[in-house]
Amino acid sequence: MRPLPRKAAAGDKPLRFAFLSSCIEPWGGSEELWWQAAMSLRARGHRVDVLKTKVPETHGRIRQLRASGCTVRDIDRLGFRAAAAANAVLPERHELVAERRQMLAVGPLLASRRPHLAVVSQKATEMHWPADWARPFATRVFAAARRAVFVSEHNLRLTERQLGTSIPRGVVLRNPVLVGRDGPLPWPEQNGALKLAFVARLYPAEKGQDLLLEALAAPHWRERPVHVDFYGTGLQREVLEGLARHLGVERVSFEGQTQRIEDVWRTHHGLVLTSRAEGLPLALVEAMMCGRVPIVTDVGGNAEVVDDPTTGFVAGSATVAAVDDALERAWAARERWSEIGAAASRRIADLVPDEGESPLAEMAIAEATSGAPVRS
């Protein structure tokens, strides 16, 4: 978060905040933290501008932002002539990618709105490291930021490694939990069979649905009563459905997007999430809150909240062999799943306490009114 230069202090008047999101999907779990803060700030009478790519006009969250009085603008709207002009002044071989288009669109909007504080939402992943030409700029941004907020310790340390420097004002704020605050849901009927839910956008490059399908194609899994429902939308639904058919994996189904995640956990025994990259997935936190058993890969902050085998099962890496091993250990302990799910609920409630008001909103107000100088 970096305040823009101002001539006068904020005083006692309502503050102005801008939230910038470059999420490539219409909406994702990473959006919930800033959305909660934006809604909280607007409820207190502050002005809130949301600058986002690929704005899903019919999405409930976007409608709620606008109904509350926030302005929402799509920043992924740079025309061909503007793109060509920008390419002409970029360094050699650095074509105008999405991030540069967004920067060109955001600048004039921020200049006209003059927020006291700008909050930028982006992700950290092992799959995308800054190029040599981008690293100095990214390093300056983090050095000048009032705060650098991460959803897991892993993402904070990863960003420091990628930049080759420490982030002294880095802090961890967990994503808000939308379900399960009333404790574990009743355990579903089991009868020797297991129903697993894979809750994630259909994007195997990061979410790794292909790893699970390949593991389930092994003969020993074909013979076991384990069914997996995939919940979510994305660019590769048909690809994954075709892969399941190609591998002969029959006990899977693709259920699309759901807005009633508690209904999923009323009928499923556990979450399986074989991701190649994560922050701290909201689906994992919600499943544990609802008392369901997580089977996850050791990426992002997953192992920060799942204690194998007490509160779930962690595959040592995002590979088919490691996923199969975690599934095998989970299957061997299937008679204790209700106990493991209850322990998972207690564990995550301790790690992600109900903080009531948005902690990011509180932090934003404090930073916007602190009057501290901005480091350059």
Side-chain angles (χ1 to χ4, degrees), residues 27-28 47 69 72 74 82 99-100 175 184 203 215 231 238 248 257-258 276 281 331:
W27 198 265
R47 194 179 80 185
V72 182
D74 193 327
E99 290 81 1
R100 291 174 179 270
N175 275 327
Y203 184 53
Y231 288 90
E238 293 182 6
Q257 192 73 22
T258 179
R276 291 183 168 94
W331 174 258

Side-chain angles (χ1 to χ4, degrees), residues 218-259:
H220 55 283
W221 288 111
R222 294 175 188 270
E223 300 168 358
R224 293 170 175 169
V226 176
H227 187 94
V228 179
D229 291 317
F230 292 91
Y231 288 90
T233 58
L235 300 175
Q236 277 97 26
R237 173 168 179 156
E238 293 182 6
V239 170
L240 291 168
E241 289 177 330
L243 178 60
R245 290 192 299 270
H246 173 71
L247 295 172
V249 179
E250 298 180 350
R251 292 193 179 96
V252 297
S253 62
F254 291 82
E255 302 295 330
Q257 192 73 22
T258 179
Q259 301 300 323

Side-chain angles (χ1 to χ4, degrees), residues 27-33 175-176 282:
W27 198 265
S30 61
E31 311 279 65
E32 295 294 336
L33 186 62
N175 275 327
L282 187 58

Side-chain angles (χ1 to χ4, degrees), residues 23-45:
C23 180
I24 63 173
E25 296 291 331
W27 198 265
S30 61
E31 311 279 65
E32 295 294 336
L33 186 62
W34 69 256
W35 175 87
Q36 182 195 52
M39 293 292 289
S40 176
L41 291 169
R42 186 68 195 105
R44 301 185 196 190

Side-chain angles (χ1 to χ4, degrees), residues 33 36 172-177 181 351-360 362:
L33 186 62
Q36 182 195 52
V172 175
L173 292 181
R174 307 295 189 188
N175 275 327
V177 180
R181 283 298 184 187
L351 292 175
V352 188
D354 188 356
E355 300 186 54
E357 194 60 70
S358 165
L360 181 57
E362 299 287 350

Side-chain angles (χ1 to χ4, degrees), residues 91 188 256 305:
V305 299

Side-chain angles (χ1 to χ4, degrees), residues 130-142:
D132 288 343
W133 59 265
R135 180 178 169 275
F137 173 75
T139 302
R140 291 196 302 272
V141 168
F142 278 101

Side-chain angles (χ1 to χ4, degrees), residues 96-313:
L96 185 67
V97 295
E99 290 81 1
R100 291 174 179 270
R101 289 203 311 270
Q102 294 154 13
M103 289 170 63
L104 289 169
V106 163
L109 290 174
L110 288 180
S112 66
R113 305 300 282 181
R114 294 188 59 78
H116 294 92
L117 194 76
V119 182
V120 181
S121 173
Q122 60 186 39
K123 70 178 178 180
T125 171
E126 290 92 340
M127 301 175 67
H128 301 290
W129 286 61
D132 288 343
W133 59 265
R135 180 178 169 275
F137 173 75
T139 302
R140 291 196 302 272
V141 168
F142 278 101
R146 289 280 179 85
R147 297 277 184 167
V149 178
F150 299 84
V151 296
S152 68
E153 290 286 348
H154 167 274
N155 280 18
L156 171 55
R157 303 308 167 207
L158 171 65
T159 304
E160 290 181 327
R161 293 200 307 272
Q162 291 177 332
L163 297 178
T165 186
S166 62
I167 302 176
R169 287 179 294 282
V171 297
V172 175
L173 292 181
R174 307 295 189 188
N175 275 327
V177 180
L178 308 179
V179 301
R181 283 298 184 187
D182 295 330
L185 297 173
W187 189 252
E189 185 177 359
Q190 196 162 332
N191 294 331
L194 293 176
K195 286 192 67 176
L196 303 177
F198 197 124
V199 183
R201 73 184 189 276
L202 303 181
Y203 184 53
E206 290 189 0
K207 298 302 181 180
Q209 289 94 342
D210 58 305
L211 300 176
L212 177 63
L213 290 173
E214 289 196 52
L216 294 177
H220 55 283
W221 288 111
R222 294 175 188 270
E223 300 168 358
R224 293 170 175 169
V226 176
H227 187 94
V228 179
D229 291 317
F230 292 91
Y231 288 90
T233 58
L235 300 175
Q236 277 97 26
R237 173 168 179 156
E238 293 182 6
V239 170
L240 291 168
E241 289 177 330
L243 178 60
R245 290 192 299 270
H246 173 71
L247 295 172
V249 179
E250 298 180 350
R251 292 193 179 96
V252 297
S253 62
F254 291 82
E255 302 295 330
Q257 192 73 22
T258 179
Q259 301 300 323
R260 300 179 62 86
I261 193 62
E262 281 192 335
D263 288 348
V264 172
W265 300 125
R266 293 183 194 281
T267 57
H268 290 76
H269 304 100
L271 166 78
V272 60
L273 200 59
T274 55
S275 307
R276 291 183 168 94
E278 287 288 358
L280 179 63
L282 187 58
L284 169 59
V285 175
E286 291 177 340
M288 294 177 70
M289 280 286 188
C290 290
R292 298 305 178 250
V293 176
I295 306 170
V296 296
T297 44
D298 187 6
V299 298
N302 290 351
E304 295 174 25
V305 299
V306 179
D307 297 318
D308 189 331
T310 308
T311 61
F313 302 90

